[in-house]
Amino acid sequence: MSYEFDWSAVWDPSAWMTAIGVTVAYGVATTVAGLLLGLILGLLLVSRIWIARRAVSLFIGVFRCTPALIQIVWFYYAFPMALNINMPAWLAAGCGLTLYMAAFSAEIFRGGIQSIEKGQWNACRSLCMSHWQTMYHVILPQTFRRMTPAIVNQSIIQFKNTSLLSVVAVHDIMFTASALTSETYRPLEVFTFAALLYIILIWPMASIAHQVERRFDYRSSR
Amino acid sequence: MSVNFIEVRSLRKTYGTTVAVDDVSLTLEEGRTAAIIGSSGCGKSTFLRCLNLLETPTEGSMRIGGDTVTFANDKMASGEDQALRFRKSMAMVFQSFDLFPHMTALRNVSLAPTIVNGLKREEAEGLALKLLERVDLRHKADAYPGQLSGGQAQRVAIARALAMNPRVLLFDEATSALDPELVGEVLAVIKDLAKEGRTLLVVTHELAFARDVADTLYFFDQGRVLESGKPQELMSNPQTERLRAFLKRFQGPLNS
């Protein structure tokens, strides 16, 4: 007995186009917002304000050690309830994922900042540069270059994690695939197609990032 | 006799129970060069780092020109308002160069003048080009540190220090990380600066260089200044067994 493929089951261009738009929007927005927040948290982690370090460590502990799926569901249902505010559903859905990204990228930035040789700080202090001038002109530019692979990696994970948003009825690629499956009973074709879409979206981003990384690698520029 | 420009009194630096610098006093007139020698771990680098305020001394006082800072119990006791000017009056060249690897040689030299001294970018770059010329590296202005030899990198670091227009230059074993054949080009630059009448404080392992260039020589041992004086006298007639032993070990370089 062999399976008869029926690729007509996936034929729904308008639904897929919308889904791609939603996935890309959430992927880009939660990644960028998560990275920015992560950078701020990472800077607090290496700051001299101990209470900030403690608070951020606690935040990272909580968000790294709970599944992204629970965070999404919790922010969607419980967070607006807990604060007794009316949050638009699209925002509530993205919040959990953004904070998840922030927690992981904060650790990446902290590690990156601390990996920069101590001599760089000494040289800057000797030249009378302030803490923030040193951070901005000398430490962070090197951190970004050094941590690019880790940041790209985490961003790819984040992009794929947007599929979890389908559980709170965000009409992304994953949601559309599930819906189409229950319509057509053709999971093999539909999910294969969905997987292909993710690959087509993410692969080019990863290779562009790799090229940017190589261009900025001043260490091998001899 | 002119008044001392640098005056360090009873400087101490301890880490827990370890004494790194023990009751060190040192004076230097403007335009003169002092060299500090001693075996590894004798506290000479720590002393220089204390002077540049990269380390906070445990106790003691330091004066450069009219700015005095004093320390007690691992804290600055007075001179807080003078500390920035104090540090600004000197610039340090490190053993490991510590150039900024993501910037060209030109930017390495012009960065601090721009953001610390408020020079316009063009002004700072003009200054940087002049200083790179001074260390014979104008043609490397657009090179990144990774593209420079150790000797070239260290000369860029010297230009970077000079760009802050310091009244004192500190050299912390500036040639120790260099391949032997590259040491000469860096020492030549330092020698020129001394001849120009700059005030230099040089921690070094190059005894022949110290003898030829320094006006005063300090021999550090276990955190203390064991002997000090004119280099020729100190080296030809050491008073302590420690210095005698130290010089003996370095006999080779001395005769070269």
Side-chain angles (χ1 to χ4, degrees):
Chain A
M1 181 188 138
S2 71
Y3 185 82
E4 294 253 332
F5 282 94
D6 178 8
W7 289 100
S8 68
V10 303
W11 184 253
D12 191 348
S14 75
W16 287 117
M17 289 313 284
T18 316
I20 290 170
V22 169
T23 290
V24 170
Y26 269 104
V28 171
T30 61
T31 302
V32 171
L35 280 174
L36 285 176
L37 189 59
L39 174 59
I40 295 168
L41 296 180
L43 286 171
L44 287 173
L45 270 181
V46 298
S47 77
R48 280 165 285 192
I49 315 160
W50 73 269
I51 187 123
R53 288 201 306 269
R54 281 288 174 76
V56 173
S57 303
L58 185 66
F59 168 87
I60 290 174
V62 169
F63 277 85
R64 277 210 305 187
C65 302
T66 47
L69 189 54
I70 290 188
Q71 289 167 25
I72 290 166
V73 173
W74 192 85
F75 269 88
Y76 190 74
Y77 294 111
F79 184 63
M81 212 190 286
L83 291 183
N84 200 18
I85 50 166
N86 242 333
M87 221 177 183
W90 64 266
L91 184 60
C95 260
L97 216 46
T98 301
L99 295 178
Y100 183 80
M101 178 75 182
F104 280 92
S105 45
E107 275 300 318
I108 294 175
F109 286 125
R110 180 196 60 77
I113 291 168
Q114 288 177 341
S115 78
I116 303 296
E117 294 70 23
K118 221 159 170 258
Q120 296 284 300
W121 285 99
N122 281 335
C124 290
R125 279 173 73 191
S126 182
L127 292 165
C128 293
M129 289 163 63
S130 71
H131 180 83
W132 289 113
Q133 285 175 332
T134 304
M135 198 56 109
Y136 180 79
H137 292 282
V138 176
I139 304 299
L140 284 183
Q142 293 183 64
T143 301
F144 293 146
R145 286 168 170 84
R146 195 171 287 187
M147 301 321 273
T148 309
I151 292 168
V152 170
N153 218 16
Q154 192 60 42
S155 301
I156 290 174
I157 293 172
Q158 175 76 357
F159 216 92
K160 291 186 298 179
N161 274 349
T162 55
S163 63
L164 299 171
L165 291 167
S166 61
V167 300
V168 291
V170 169
H171 290 218
D172 72 331
I173 294 175
M174 183 67 191
F175 182 91
T176 305
S178 306
L180 218 54
T181 302
S182 44
E183 249 174 61
T184 60
Y185 304 106
R186 285 281 172 184
L188 181 54
E189 289 85 345
V190 171
F191 282 110
T192 305
F193 183 70
L196 278 174
L197 283 182
Y198 278 110
I199 291 172
I200 292 166
L201 286 177
I202 294 173
W203 201 311
M205 291 196 311
S207 40
I208 289 170
H210 187 63
Q211 275 174 13
V212 171
E213 190 185 318
R214 286 216 319 231
R215 173 168 309 175
F216 281 115
D217 191 1
Y218 47 85
R219 276 168 295 190
S220 62
S221 49
R222 185 183 285 259
Chain B
M1 173 150 177
S2 65
V3 74
N4 287 320
F5 181 57
I6 301 177
E7 193 166 1
V8 178
R9 278 179 184 279
S10 315
L11 199 75
R12 253 175 86 81
K13 174 68 184 173
T14 57
Y15 300 95
T17 53
T18 316
V19 183
V21 176
D22 191 5
D23 194 27
V24 167
S25 297
L26 174 152
T27 57
L28 188 62
E29 292 168 30
E30 190 153 28
R32 295 303 175 97
T33 297
I36 299 174
I37 56 170
S39 35
S40 303
C42 69
K44 55 194 194 303
S45 282
T46 308
F47 170 75
L48 213 60
R49 294 168 56 80
C50 282
L51 190 62
N52 201 205
L53 301 180
L54 292 174
E55 305 276 350
T56 308
T58 304
E59 53 196 65
S61 78
M62 311 188 285
R63 177 178 68 77
I64 291 184
D67 300 310
T68 308
V69 286
T70 63
F71 298 87
N73 300 320
D74 285 304
K75 285 196 188 79
M76 196 178 287
S78 76
E80 201 107 17
D81 48 328
Q82 293 165 40
L84 186 64
R85 222 171 42 214
F86 181 87
R87 180 188 272 158
K88 231 177 181 167
S89 61
M90 59 197 135
M92 185 138 152
V93 176
F94 299 88
Q95 179 178 355
S96 47
F97 327 142
D98 298 323
L99 292 177
F100 309 132
H102 58 300
M103 294 179 188
T104 61
L106 184 74
R107 190 75 184 129
N108 261 281
V109 180
S110 65
L111 176 71
T114 325
I115 63 175
V116 176
N117 291 345
L119 257 57
K120 288 207 188 69
R121 196 170 172 136
E122 307 84 72
E123 290 175 322
E125 285 180 354
L127 171 71
L129 279 174
K130 231 170 57 197
L131 291 169
L132 286 173
E133 176 97 68
R134 169 87 188 63
V135 295
D136 239 341
L137 284 174
R138 198 188 160 114
H139 60 291
K140 291 288 184 186
D142 294 323
Y144 286 87
Q147 299 166 306
L148 301 172
S149 73
Q152 291 171 334
Q154 193 60 299
R155 284 186 283 150
V156 172
I158 292 174
R160 181 175 69 175
L162 287 171
M164 294 303 280
N165 203 17
R167 301 179 68 185
V168 184
L169 275 166
L170 312 176
F171 290 89
D172 186 10
E173 297 189 28
T175 58
S176 297
L178 295 175
D179 292 336
E181 75 267 25
L182 301 176
V183 169
E185 61 188 74
V186 174
L187 291 184
V189 172
I190 303 176
K191 210 174 245 180
D192 278 350
L193 291 169
K195 268 196 217 138
E196 257 175 36
R198 297 254 180 191
T199 313
L200 310 181
L201 206 52
V202 186
V203 166
T204 185
H205 284 299
E206 302 286 333
L207 293 191
F209 172 80
R211 182 191 56 198
D212 296 345
V213 175
D215 299 294
T216 320
L217 191 65
Y218 287 86
F219 173 60
F220 271 51
D221 186 61
Q222 295 176 328
R224 292 175 159 271
V225 176
L226 213 55
E227 291 192 44
S228 64
K230 293 238 173 296
Q232 304 282 2
E233 291 168 19
L234 228 64
M235 287 189 186
S236 54
N237 190 18
Q239 298 299 306
T240 58
E241 191 49 47
R242 304 285 297 188
L243 180 55
R244 238 190 310 274
F246 178 79
L247 291 174
K248 204 165 195 175
R249 261 184 293 142
F250 282 87
Q251 207 74 65
L254 246 187
N255 292 339
S256 65

